[in-house]
Amino acid sequence: MGMELIETVTVSSGGQASITFSPIAANWTDLYIVVSGKSTYTSSPRDAIKLQFNGVTSGYSYKFLEGTGSATNSLGASSQAQILITHALSTNFSGLGNLFGSASIYISNYLSSNSKSVSSDQTALRNSTDAHSAIQASLSTVTSPITSIYLSPENGSFTEHSTVSLYGVI
C-alpha cells in the first residue's frame, strides 16, 4: 500500500468556514484525510467536523466510541445530513491557547457504486488533564464515485494554522 498526497489546505489568518477538495480524480482505490485543527467555537472545549461527499446532504450514519481517561461513551445517529467526526477539533473555550485536535479519516472504495464506509480516529485536547479520543465507524449511502469532499466545523470556523491533507491510497 502506498499513499500519494493529493492536496493540503492550510488555513490562513482570518480563518476559514469550510474546506472542499474537488475535483478528485479516479486514480486510487481509497482516500485518507489527515486533520490538525482548531475551531473558533467558544461554548465547548471540542467541536466536530461535518463531512459530506459530492454535495449530498442526506443518507449518512455514524457510531462512535469515546474515552476521556476517566469515562467512556458511545453514541450514534442515522439519516443525517452529514457525517459528524466527533471531537476532532479543539476550540477557543476558556482560553485554551494553541491546542489543536487531530483526526484521521479513511474512506474505502471511493470509486465504488456501493455505499461508502468511513472509519476515523480523533482526539480533541483541552488541557493536560482533559482529552477526548474517539474511534468512529460511518456510512454514506452515496453510490456514485466520490469526486468532492466537503469539511467544516460543526459550530465554528477553522482557525489559522489548521491543516487538512487529502491522500490517495494505492
Side-chain angles (χ1 to χ4, degrees):
M1 172 167 83
M3 291 197 306
E4 181 179 337
L5 178 63
I6 298 170
E7 183 179 358
T8 295
V9 174
T10 301
V11 176
S12 60
S13 64
Q16 191 168 329
S18 65
I19 294 170
T20 300
F21 295 107
S22 181
I24 299 171
N27 298 345
W28 307 278
T29 56
D30 303 328
L31 297 173
Y32 182 63
I33 301 169
V34 178
V35 179
S36 174
K38 186 173 177 181
S39 169
T40 58
Y41 191 51
T42 59
S43 297
S44 171
R46 289 162 289 283
D47 200 358
I49 293 175
K50 296 188 296 188
L51 179 69
Q52 295 174 328
F53 304 135
N54 299 349
V56 175
T57 58
S58 64
Y60 300 96
S61 60
Y62 55 91
K63 183 80 169 176
F64 76 91
L65 174 64
E66 74 169 333
T68 65
S70 61
T72 60
N73 188 29
S74 176
L75 293 172
S78 60
S79 301
Q80 299 295 300
Q82 68 274 320
I83 294 171
L84 286 180
I85 306 297
T86 60
H87 307 319
L89 302 171
S90 294
T91 67
N92 287 322
F93 180 77
S94 297
L96 292 177
N98 290 320
L99 298 175
F100 279 65
S102 63
S104 298
I105 305 164
Y106 197 89
I107 305 163
S108 300
N109 298 313
Y110 79 105
L111 298 174
S112 169
S113 59
N114 297 316
S115 295
K116 310 299 186 284
S117 64
V118 179
S119 60
S120 62
D121 61 86
Q122 54 268 6
T123 300
L125 302 173
R126 181 168 151 196
N127 57 36
S128 62
T129 61
D130 181 37
H132 282 236
S133 295
I135 55 173
Q136 185 167 321
S138 307
L139 184 68
S140 166
T141 59
V142 170
T143 56
S144 59
I146 295 173
T147 58
S148 70
I149 298 174
Y150 168 90
L151 302 100
S152 73
E154 180 182 23
N155 297 297
S157 296
F158 288 108
T159 65
E160 181 179 14
H161 304 299
S162 294
T163 60
V164 181
S165 297
L166 175 65
Y167 293 86
V169 180
I170 301 167

